[in-house]
Amino acid sequence: RLCSDLRFHRNKTTLSAEQPRRSKMTTSSPTHSDSSSSSRHGVKQDRWEIVEGLRGVPASMQEPDIQEGLLLKKRKWPMKGWHKRYFVLERGILNYAKRAADLQKGKPHGCIDVGLSVMSIKKKAMCIDLDTEDNIYHLKVKSAELFEEWVLKLRHHRMFRQNEIALYPHEKHLFHPHASSSPSLNDSFRNVGRRATLTKQTSIHHAKVGSWLQSSEEMNKCSKGLYQSLVHQASSESRASIPESMSEFFDAQEYLLSSSSSENEVKKNLPISSVVTMTRRRRSALPCPCPPSSVSLWNILRNNIGKDLSKVAMPVQLNEPLNTLQRLCEELEYSDLLDTANQTEDAYQRMVYVATFAISAYASSYYRAGSKPFNPVLGETYECDRPDKGFRFIAEQVSHHPPVSACHSDSKNFNFWQDMRWKNKFWGKSMEIVPMGTTHVTLPAFGDHYEWNKVTSCIHNILSGQRWIEHYGEISIKNINSDVCQCKVTFVKAKSWSSAVNEIEGVITDSNGKVIHSLFGKWHESVFQGEPPAATCIWRPGPVPENKDQYYGFTQFAVELNELDSSLRPLLPPTDTRFRPDQRLLEEGNVDAAEEQKQRIEQLQRERRKVLQDNNMTHQPRFFKKSKDDSWVSNKTYWELRREPGFSKMDFPVLW
C-alpha cells in the first residue's frame, strides 16, 4: 500500500540515489543505452530525460502559480499528427480543452494528474511526455523559451502535488482528477483540510513514509515486490468496474457462435457444414505453471524512455513460452470466420465476416499483458498443420535489423499472409506497441483480395499494479479486386472518466459511402451486427481455461502451439521454434537454464551475423521472398520440400 500510494516517487528516487544532480533542467536524466558511442564521436543527441520527483520528507510547501496557454498535443490516433489545445496547470493538475472558454465553463476535454505521472522531456524537440496509468500524453511547445517555462512550472507543480499526497495519503482520492465529475476538478482539492493532528493510522503511515524516503535500499525492496505481478491481465476489481457485457445487455439472435477450434471443444451453431474428425489428441495444459519473477523492470527500462525496445535484451523471466511466429499463428484461432465468408454470396456480408476475423485476432491478448513472446532469431521457422481447422501455416523470421516476421496460411477456403514488424516504446508507466505491415486474405470462391492494417497496442501499469492491455486506432479494410464495399473498424481508446473499455465500432459502406452494415461490441468478448436491441451476434471467443492465470493467460489454442510429439518431430526442420531450448526450458519451469540457453542462442546469432558481414554476404530466407511491393511472401516451397526430399535430408544453419 505504501508503494501504491507513493508510486510517483518510486521511479525518481531510485534515479536520484544513483546519479549525481546536474543543472536545474537536467537533474537525474538517464539516457538511451546506446548514446555513449555517439558522444564519443562528438555527436550530441537529443535525449529523453526523466524529470525527478519528490525527495526527502514531505513538508509544508508554497503553492505554485497557475500556468496556462496553448500547447500542441498529439492526437490519440497513431499517425494523425498534432492539434492545439489550451492547458491550465493548477496545484499539480493539468486540465485542457479546445478553448480557454471551455475550461472557464468547467468543461475540460481532459485532465492529467502531473504528480502521479512519469514525466520525461526532450529539449531540442521541445517535447514533454506525461505517462499516467491510463494514457500517454505527448505535448510539444513551439519556442525554446516557452518550453523552459512550461518545464519549470511542471516541475514545481509536480513537486507540490506529490508533497500533498505524501502529507495526506488518505485524502488522495478526494482530489484525484478522475474521481470527480464536478465542473471544477480542483475544487475538492482546495477544500481538503490542513489537519493539525493526523489520526493514529495516518501518523503511523507518515512515519513509514519518512523512513522510506530516506532509504533508497528500502525503497528498492518495496519496489521489487511490485514486479512479481507479471501474468494477470485484469484484476477482479477492474473486471468488476466493467459494465454489463454486450452479450448480457442485448437479447440478440445467435447467428454465428465462433469458439476456439481445439479438438477439446465442440463447435455449435456454426454455418460450417461439419466438424473434421481429429487425427490425434492434443495436450490440454502446459507442463508447468509460470514461475514467479523477481526481475526489476525499472532497472532495465529506465534508460530507454521513448526508445524502440526491440533491440533491448530482456531476461527470460519476462517471456512466455511462445514466440512471435507462434503469436502470428494465434491470429488464425477463429479462421472459421473466413470459412464462412468464402461461403457467403453477399459481398457486404462477406466483409462483415472478414472484419470480424480481423477483430478476433486481438481476443487472445486480453489475459496476456503480463509477459512477452520470445523474439525469433534470424532464420527461425514455425509450422502449424491443423486438419481439424482445415488450414496449414508457416512462418519465418526473414530479417533481424529491423526484425521482420513473415507468415502464410492456406486452406481450401482462404489464403492468409502478412509480414510484420513492431516498434515497442516505453513511456515511463506504459509501453506502446506499434505494428507496421499489411495483412492479406483472399477468398477463392469470389476472387476477393482483402487488405488491412493493425492498430496500436498499449500495456499499462508496466512497473506496478495490475497490468492491462489496450488496443486503439482504426483498421481500414478494402477489397483490392472490387470497389463494391469497404470497412472501417475503430478500436475505441478508453477514456479515464468512463468505465467502458475494449469497445469496437465498425461500418461497412458501399462505393458511395452509404452505410450498409454496422458492427459493435468488445474485441475480447463479442461482435454484433446491426442496431440494438435487434442486433445479431456474429462472434464470441471460446472459453478460456479456468487456471489461465497460472499458465500465462493462454487460451486452449495457445497451449497447443508449442506441443511437440514423437510423430511430428522427424517431419520438422531443425529451425522450427519447437526445438528452441530456451523456450522449451521456460515452458518446463526451468528459468535459470532457460536464461543460460537464451544468452547462448543470442550469441550464436551475433556470430553468424559477423560471418556474413566479414564476407559481404546477406541472409537469404529459405521459404519467403520479396514481392514487387517490397513485402515478404511465401515462395511456395515449404510443404513440397517437407514431403520430398524431407527436411532431415537438407542442410540448415545451426540456430541453437
Side-chain angles (χ1 to χ4, degrees):
R1 186 179 301 273
L2 175 63
C3 289
S4 176
D5 286 346
L6 293 175
R7 60 182 180 271
F8 63 83
H9 182 84
R10 179 188 63 253
N11 301 344
K12 290 72 182 184
T13 52
T14 303
L15 296 176
S16 63
E18 296 176 358
Q19 295 181 336
R21 298 196 66 173
R22 302 171 192 167
S23 67
K24 194 168 186 178
M25 289 301 298
T26 60
T27 300
S28 183
S29 55
T31 58
H32 300 334
S33 58
D34 61 350
S35 60
S36 58
S37 60
S38 298
S39 60
R40 285 196 301 267
H41 291 83
V43 179
K44 188 175 181 181
Q45 291 187 335
D46 190 13
R47 305 164 180 168
W48 283 104
E49 302 175 359
I50 302 174
V51 175
E52 188 181 49
L54 182 68
R55 305 178 71 207
V57 179
S60 177
M61 184 177 292
Q62 183 178 354
E63 180 179 329
D65 295 335
I66 295 175
Q67 172 77 2
E68 58 184 299
L70 287 170
L71 298 174
L72 293 175
K73 175 181 172 292
K74 198 170 188 178
R75 296 177 185 270
K76 62 181 180 179
W77 303 124
M79 312 301 291
K80 295 294 184 180
W82 303 73
H83 51 195
K84 287 183 179 179
R85 290 293 181 263
Y86 196 87
F87 286 81
V88 174
L89 177 62
E90 184 176 3
R91 301 181 69 89
I93 304 298
L94 186 62
N95 290 295
Y96 67 92
K98 287 186 178 180
R99 294 168 291 273
D102 294 333
L103 292 175
Q104 293 169 1
K105 295 176 183 177
K107 297 179 179 180
H109 182 72
C111 182
I112 306 170
D113 189 329
V114 178
L116 294 179
S117 302
V118 173
M119 177 180 168
S120 51
I121 60 174
K122 208 171 187 179
K123 285 186 176 181
K124 285 187 178 179
M126 294 182 289
C127 291
I128 303 169
D129 280 6
L130 295 169
D131 186 354
T132 70
E133 287 189 353
D134 301 317
N135 291 288
I136 305 168
Y137 296 90
H138 304 285
L139 310 178
K140 186 180 288 188
V141 187
K142 283 194 170 183
S143 71
E145 182 180 355
L146 197 57
F147 172 78
E148 296 282 343
E149 180 182 335
W150 268 101
V151 170
L152 183 62
K153 289 290 186 179
L154 282 166
R155 285 178 185 270
H156 289 173
H157 280 261
R158 192 159 175 268
M159 291 287 191
F160 176 82
R161 173 80 170 114
Q162 292 175 354
N163 187 72
E164 290 295 315
I165 296 173
L167 284 172
Y168 305 100
H170 292 281
E171 282 82 15
K172 179 179 67 173
H173 68 282
L174 295 178
F175 46 80
H176 191 278
H178 301 159
S180 172
S181 58
S182 60
S184 176
L185 293 170
N186 290 330
D187 285 346
S188 56
F189 182 52
R190 297 189 185 97
N191 294 330
V192 174
R194 300 300 185 260
R195 301 182 181 180
T197 304
L198 299 175
T199 63
K200 180 179 180 182
Q201 182 179 10
T202 308
S203 297
I204 295 173
H205 186 93
H206 192 158
K208 289 181 179 178
V209 170
S211 174
W212 179 63
L213 292 177
Q214 294 174 27
S215 171
S216 61
E217 180 181 356
E218 289 300 314
M219 185 208 67
N220 287 331
K221 290 179 181 178
C222 187
S223 298
K224 286 180 181 179
L226 296 172
Y227 299 139
Q228 299 190 10
S229 174
L230 286 176
V231 298
H232 302 124
Q233 196 277 341
S235 65
S236 58
E237 290 83 359
S238 63
R239 282 196 292 269
S241 69
I242 300 175
E244 287 183 286
S245 67
M246 297 292 182
S247 57
E248 293 171 340
F249 186 80
F250 296 105
D251 183 18
Q253 174 192 359
E254 295 292 333
Y255 178 71
L256 175 59
L257 179 58
S258 176
S259 62
S260 176
S261 59
S262 164
E263 74 280 9
N264 297 320
E265 300 169 7
V266 179
K267 292 185 178 181
K268 296 181 179 180
N269 302 324
L270 292 176
I272 310 294
S273 59
S274 63
V275 179
V276 179
T277 303
M278 284 303 301
T279 57
R280 66 183 179 91
R281 183 175 181 81
R282 298 181 184 272
R283 68 182 182 182
S284 59
L286 295 178
C288 183
C290 51
S293 174
S294 58
V295 173
S296 174
L297 274 175
W298 179 246
N299 288 340
I300 299 170
L301 298 175
R302 67 185 182 187
N303 291 332
N304 296 291
I305 296 287
K307 183 180 178 182
D308 185 0
L309 297 182
S310 62
K311 297 180 181 179
V312 179
M314 299 287 184
V316 77
Q317 282 182 301
L318 301 181
N319 287 5
E320 63 183 22
L322 289 177
N323 81 350
T324 299
L325 303 180
Q326 292 165 313
R327 277 280 190 104
L328 291 177
C329 187
E330 274 196 86
E331 297 182 20
L332 288 167
E333 180 168 1
Y334 302 103
S335 61
D336 51 289
L337 289 161
L338 297 181
D339 295 331
T340 303
N342 197 52
Q343 299 169 11
T344 302
E345 292 290 336
D346 184 84
Y348 301 107
Q349 193 62 37
R350 285 201 302 276
M351 182 66 85
V352 168
Y353 293 124
V354 171
T356 304
F357 170 77
I359 296 167
S360 74
Y362 296 88
S364 66
S365 67
Y366 183 65
Y367 295 101
R368 304 276 280 282
S371 53
K372 61 177 287 293
F374 278 80
N375 295 326
V377 297
L378 187 62
E380 188 170 343
T381 62
Y382 177 72
E383 77 158 60
C384 184
D385 189 6
R386 295 297 296 252
D388 58 313
K389 291 180 66 69
F391 75 75
R392 55 187 188 179
F393 169 95
I394 62 166
E396 182 177 1
Q397 190 72 3
V398 296
S399 174
H400 182 58
H401 288 306
V404 179
S405 305
C407 69
H408 182 94
S409 178
D410 56 79
S411 160
K412 68 176 183 179
N413 286 318
F414 65 86
N415 284 284
F416 165 92
W417 72 94
Q418 59 182 331
D419 64 344
M420 281 290 158
R421 65 165 297 199
W422 294 262
K423 280 190 175 181
N424 307 319
K425 290 194 175 183
F426 174 62
W427 296 108
K429 286 190 177 182
S430 310
M431 183 168 70
E432 272 190 324
I433 304 166
V434 183
M436 292 168 287
T438 303
T439 303
H440 300 260
V441 163
T442 59
L443 302 178
F446 305 98
D448 293 345
H449 182 167
Y450 299 93
E451 290 183 347
W452 65 87
N453 61 291
K454 292 187 174 181
V455 296
T456 295
S457 303
C458 185
I459 301 175
H460 298 274
N461 296 342
I462 284 289
L463 297 176
S464 65
Q466 205 68 44
R467 292 185 189 177
W468 59 283
I469 191 167
E470 179 183 21
H471 307 292
Y472 47 82
E474 187 177 86
I475 291 178
S476 179
I477 308 174
K478 61 181 180 180
N479 182 355
I480 64 174
N481 290 341
S482 172
D483 61 355
V484 170
C485 62
Q486 46 276 322
C487 176
K488 287 188 177 181
V489 178
T490 300
F491 284 63
V492 181
K493 187 173 179 61
K495 298 178 175 63
S496 56
W497 58 86
S498 171
S499 60
V501 293
N502 304 342
E503 292 186 348
I504 59 95
E505 301 169 351
V507 290
I508 288 87
T509 57
D510 63 15
S511 57
N512 296 319
K514 179 183 177 182
V515 176
I516 306 299
H517 295 304
S518 60
L519 301 173
F520 67 94
K522 295 191 175 185
W523 53 260
H524 75 293
E525 188 177 78
S526 55
V527 173
F528 291 84
Q529 176 183 348
E531 300 293 337
T536 300
C537 183
I538 299 297
W539 166 83
R540 294 186 199 278
V544 294
E546 292 183 0
N547 57 0
K548 61 184 178 302
D549 291 343
Q550 301 175 41
Y551 292 91
Y552 304 93
F554 282 5
T555 64
Q556 176 56 39
F557 186 71
V559 166
E560 299 164 2
L561 289 175
N562 203 48
E563 184 178 11
L564 180 60
D565 65 16
S566 57
S567 64
L568 184 61
R569 183 182 294 270
L571 302 176
L572 298 174
T575 55
D576 192 279
T577 295
R578 277 162 287 207
F579 294 123
R580 182 167 174 164
D582 52 353
Q583 186 170 311
R584 182 65 61 188
L585 286 165
L586 179 63
E587 183 183 89
E588 295 170 351
N590 193 338
V591 177
D592 292 340
E595 179 64 39
E596 182 179 341
Q597 287 294 324
K598 179 176 179 289
Q599 294 182 17
R600 184 183 66 83
I601 291 169
E602 291 170 348
Q603 180 59 30
L604 283 175
Q605 178 168 238
R606 287 189 284 269
E607 291 171 0
R608 290 194 303 274
R609 184 169 68 247
K610 187 177 187 306
V611 170
L612 290 175
Q613 291 174 345
D614 291 346
N615 291 275
N616 294 320
M617 299 171 64
T618 57
H619 172 77
Q620 296 298 321
R622 179 66 65 93
F623 305 113
F624 286 82
K625 63 181 181 180
K626 277 285 187 75
S627 66
K628 293 180 180 178
D629 63 357
D630 213 33
S631 64
W632 291 95
V633 297
S634 171
N635 60 19
K636 301 181 180 180
T637 64
Y638 184 91
W639 299 105
E640 288 76 8
L641 292 172
R642 186 182 192 265
R643 183 175 59 253
E644 181 64 38
F647 295 132
S648 62
K649 299 178 182 178
M650 298 174 59
D651 292 329
F652 286 89
V654 178
L655 301 186
W656 35 70

